[in-house]
Structures are given as structure tokens and as C-alpha cells.
Amino acid sequence: MYVIRLTDGTLRVPQTLASEDGRLIGNAYVEVSPGDPDYDRWLAESLTEEEWAERRRRWLEENDELEREFLAFKAEQET
């Protein structure tokens, strides 16, 4: 998950919620506005919505070789 910077400067920061025994309850985004104490920390690694969409598009288009390697590895593990 990426930190996404909206056009108004608000950041959407990924957050995971887990139970006391460590089980995953859910993943979500929380919004962090300019002026929030954690804003500057997250701003440096944030992507615009367009940058995020481009990364996702490229990953989907360019992962064929990685997928083939994974499927070969998986088949090898099952034998």
C-alpha cells in the first residue's frame, strides 16, 4: 500500500488493524491533513493519485516474467 497525496494536500496513509493475538482485522486508509504532527513524515514518501495509477498500470503490464517465475517456483514446490 502506498501513501497517496490528494490534490488538496491531504494524504491517505495505509493503516492495518490487528487483534490482540496478531490476527489481521483489516486494512484501510486514514487521512492526514497538512498541519498534522505526522504529515511531514508521510509527505516525503507520498505519490499523487496519477503516479500511483501509473505504477499500478506498469506493474500489471510488466509483471509477466515475474509471474512465470513464481508459477514455476510454485509448481516445483508442489512436486
Side-chain angles (χ1 to χ4, degrees):
M1 293 178 80
Y2 293 98
V3 176
I4 300 172
R5 185 175 62 253
L6 303 177
T7 55
D8 68 355
T10 301
L11 303 176
R12 285 196 177 145
V13 179
Q15 184 174 11
T16 299
L17 181 61
S19 65
E20 289 183 17
D21 63 358
R23 289 181 296 132
L24 176 67
I25 294 175
N27 291 315
Y29 281 97
V30 294
E31 292 193 352
V32 177
S33 300
D36 187 285
D38 291 327
Y39 186 83
D40 289 336
R41 178 172 64 113
W42 293 111
L43 180 62
E45 64 181 84
S46 67
L47 301 171
T48 65
E49 291 178 284
E50 292 80 15
E51 291 169 329
W52 179 82
E54 176 63 16
R55 282 191 184 191
R56 179 171 164 70
R57 183 196 62 75
R58 282 187 27 228
W59 187 87
L60 290 171
E61 289 177 359
E62 299 172 8
N63 77 344
D64 291 343
E65 181 61 29
L66 179 61
E67 185 176 7
R68 278 191 292 278
E69 289 178 30
F70 171 74
L71 292 173
F73 170 78
K74 183 179 172 187
E76 183 178 299
Q77 298 301 310
E78 291 174 348
T79 58

